[in-house]
Amino acid sequence: MILHPQLKQDCFILGQFDLCLLLLINDSQYPWFILVPQRENISEIHHLPPHEQQQLIIESSLLATAIEQAFQADKINIAALGNMVPQLHIHHIARYKNDIAWPKPVWGVHPTIAYRDDEHDIVIQHIKAHLPTLKEVKK
């Protein structure tokens, strides 16, 4: 599967599940993760075969649970927009009542603030500690 150039530019690759690649958005304002089903030319969840739709929900729930445990968010926003990036990808964002965009959606409210130095490694290790089934990305 070829990752969309915008996702490649904006994210760190953390690993993979059976169906999806797991990414971290390079925005230090929120713990913001993305699942990307590893299938070519898919832009909508209903384009996946039924068994892969189910697998996507399983992986999304695993990620949401890990976010809840790792970051104690007040709310987890889960969304598949695709307005700018047509490749199917599902956002999972830990939200807090005191975050910079609350209660609005994060899109377009404030410019992104990239992680400094190796700050992203802390977030990555934190989420990976709650995702024992996450595998290394096959090269």
Side-chain angles (χ1 to χ4, degrees), residues 106-119:
V106 298
W107 291 275
V109 176
H110 298 280
T112 60
I113 299 174
Y115 287 101
R116 293 185 311 243
D117 303 321
D118 292 332
E119 286 177 330

Side-chain angles (χ1 to χ4, degrees), residues 29-30 93-104 106:
Q29 298 170 101
Y30 323 91
I93 310 164
R95 299 296 309 276
Y96 302 92
K97 291 177 181 171
N98 65 349
D99 75 39
I100 193 166
W102 186 271
K104 298 176 183 167
V106 298

Side-chain angles (χ1 to χ4, degrees), residues 39-97:
R39 299 294 180 261
E40 297 292 336
N41 303 315
I42 297 289
S43 60
E44 302 290 346
I45 294 170
H46 65 272
H47 293 165
L48 292 167
H51 71 281
E52 288 185 351
Q53 292 174 28
Q54 292 172 354
Q55 184 62 33
L56 177 59
I57 293 298
I58 290 167
E59 293 176 12
S60 176
S61 294
L62 283 172
L63 178 56
T65 300
I67 291 169
E68 184 175 66
Q69 293 170 348
F71 301 103
Q72 293 81 47
D74 294 318
K75 178 72 175 97
I76 301 169
N77 291 169
I78 300 174
L81 300 176
N83 298 349
M84 301 293 288
V85 174
Q87 182 176 32
L88 178 58
H89 61 290
I90 296 85
H91 299 264
H92 293 69
I93 310 164
R95 299 296 309 276
Y96 302 92
K97 291 177 181 171

